[in-house]
């Protein structure tokens, strides 16, 4: 039981800026980290929901609602996944051989394409978030932060690692894969049911966007890198959340 509790603390220590107790990490303490990874997303979803509630009761303007609501994920994660997205964009847009792309992923310098793509990402995200005002739709969107991390965790214990080193490979090799995978499946199903309970039609569209992004992630990383890395895991978190958000916003517009 103590190892499970330590896995929870380590998960929040790595994947969020939420203060947690610090201690020396041992391999046996990392077996269940990925099970608790989605709960960082749950906190993000709850905070966005509470921010919407506060804006409604205090009559806070739309611009403040959208801008602050859009930045909540970055504040909670400290930009951890955004860093992976930027590095992955550098690698993908280098159009270099696979080995060179893997080297670029390790390079701390930021290329022009990474900056451009992150700026484009931010503008699309803010625009889509501005359309999320309906109560049911907001709850579905809040659920996306949990679901994206469930799928990311599943990819870590299911997909091939591009490198036999690094944080992602350490977590994948240290995990009790069968237990972790099934618990992530169960959490994914529970999250999907929650989203569908708000609206069958909207929920199905958003979930479909997540699953299609998951397949795209598998295909592109396999083709270009030979597998996934810690950086591509961050990349997946961002593109899956954006795809779900855009799907929700566009569907909502057409249903008006």
């Amino acid at each position: 039981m103590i190892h499970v509790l330590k896995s929870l603390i380590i998960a929040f220590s790595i994947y969020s800026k939420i203060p947690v107790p610090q201690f020396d990490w041992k391999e046996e303490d990392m077996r269940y980290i990925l099970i608790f990874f989605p709960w960082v997303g749950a906190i993000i979803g709850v905070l966005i929901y509470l921010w919407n509630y506060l804006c409604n009761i205090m009559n806070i303007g739309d611009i403040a609602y959208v801008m602050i609501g859009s930045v909540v994920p970055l504040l909670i994660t400290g930009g951890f996944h955004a860093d992976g997205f930027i590095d992955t964009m550098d690698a993908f847009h280098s159009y270099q051989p696979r080995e060179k792309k893997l080297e670029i992923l390790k390079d701390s310098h930021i290329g022009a394409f990474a900056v451009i793509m992150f700026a484009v990402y931010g503008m699309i995200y803010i625009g889509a978030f501005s359309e999320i005002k309906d109560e049911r739709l907001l709850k579905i969107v809040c659920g996306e932060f949990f679901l994206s991390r469930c799928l990311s965790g599943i990819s870590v214990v299911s997909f091939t690692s591009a490198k036999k080193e690094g944080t992602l490979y350490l977590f994948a090799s240290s995990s009790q894969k069968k237990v972790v995978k099934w618990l992530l499946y169960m959490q994914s199903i529970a999250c999907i049911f929650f989203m569908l309970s708000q609206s069958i039609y909207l929920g199905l569209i958003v979930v479909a966007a997540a699953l299609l992004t998951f397949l795209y992630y598998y295909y592109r990383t396999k083709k270009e890198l030979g597998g996934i890395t810690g950086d591509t895991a961050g990349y997946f978190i961002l593109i899956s959340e954006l795809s779900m958000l855009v799907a929700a916003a566009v569907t909502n517009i057409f249903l008006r």
Side-chain angles (χ1 to χ4, degrees):
M1 187 64 185
I2 188 68
H3 294 312
V4 174
L5 180 59
K6 285 184 176 181
S7 290
L8 168 63
I9 294 171
I10 294 172
F12 275 79
S13 178
I14 294 173
Y15 297 117
S16 80
K17 284 297 189 179
I18 299 170
V20 293
Q22 299 297 311
F23 54 86
D24 292 332
W25 299 353
K26 298 179 181 178
E27 186 172 339
E28 58 266 27
D29 299 329
M30 301 182 184
R31 294 173 181 170
Y32 307 105
I33 290 175
L34 294 172
I35 295 173
F36 300 107
F37 179 33
W39 292 94
V40 176
I43 290 176
I44 293 172
V46 168
L47 289 176
I48 289 176
Y49 184 82
L50 291 176
W51 171 241
N52 175 267
Y53 177 76
L54 183 65
C55 288
N56 287 334
I57 64 173
M58 298 189 66
N59 199 29
I60 295 174
D62 288 344
I63 294 177
Y65 163 69
V66 171
M67 298 303 291
I68 295 176
S70 296
V71 84
V72 166
L74 284 175
L75 294 176
I76 297 301
T77 63
F80 184 80
H81 307 303
D83 178 67
F85 174 87
I86 289 170
D87 288 342
T88 303
M89 286 292 97
D90 263 340
F92 283 171
H93 289 280
S94 68
Y95 303 104
Q96 297 293 320
R98 180 179 295 177
E99 293 74 18
K100 182 63 176 178
K101 288 177 181 176
L102 291 172
E103 289 180 16
I104 291 171
L105 286 174
K106 295 189 294 184
D107 192 344
S108 59
H109 296 88
I110 300 176
F113 275 112
V115 175
I116 293 169
M117 295 307 296
F118 191 62
V120 170
Y121 178 95
M123 288 186 284
I124 294 174
Y125 190 100
I126 290 169
F129 190 81
S130 68
E131 295 293 330
I132 311 301
K133 299 174 183 178
D134 177 77
E135 177 80 8
R136 295 178 306 160
L137 190 60
L138 178 64
K139 288 181 179 179
I140 292 173
V141 167
C142 288
E144 76 172 43
F145 300 99
F146 189 91
L147 182 58
S148 66
R149 286 160 176 79
C150 286
L151 295 175
S152 180
I154 290 169
S155 74
V156 170
V157 294
S158 303
F159 295 176
T160 303
S161 294
K163 301 182 293 183
K164 302 301 180 183
E165 59 181 2
T167 304
L168 181 136
Y169 180 74
L170 174 63
F171 291 167
S173 59
S174 301
S175 294
Q176 295 285 345
K177 289 189 177 181
K178 186 174 291 187
V179 174
V180 169
K181 187 184 297 185
W182 280 107
L183 285 173
L184 285 171
Y185 280 139
M186 291 172 64
Q187 290 183 89
S188 299
I189 292 169
C191 183
I192 290 170
F193 271 116
F194 167 76
M195 296 165 86
L196 294 178
S197 71
Q198 304 306 311
S199 167
I200 294 290
Y201 185 73
L202 289 172
L204 283 174
I205 295 293
V206 173
V207 170
L211 296 179
L212 288 172
T213 306
F214 189 67
L215 293 175
Y216 168 78
Y217 172 57
Y218 172 78
Y219 170 78
R220 187 161 192 188
T221 53
K222 188 75 172 177
K223 178 184 177 183
E224 300 208 26
L225 303 172
I228 63 173
T229 70
D231 285 319
T232 66
Y235 160 79
F236 171 72
I237 293 291
L238 262 65
I239 64 168
S240 62
E241 289 174 357
L242 182 64
S243 67
M244 287 188 274
L245 184 63
V246 169
V250 171
T251 305
N252 187 50
I253 290 170
F254 279 108
L255 288 178
R256 285 175 183 169

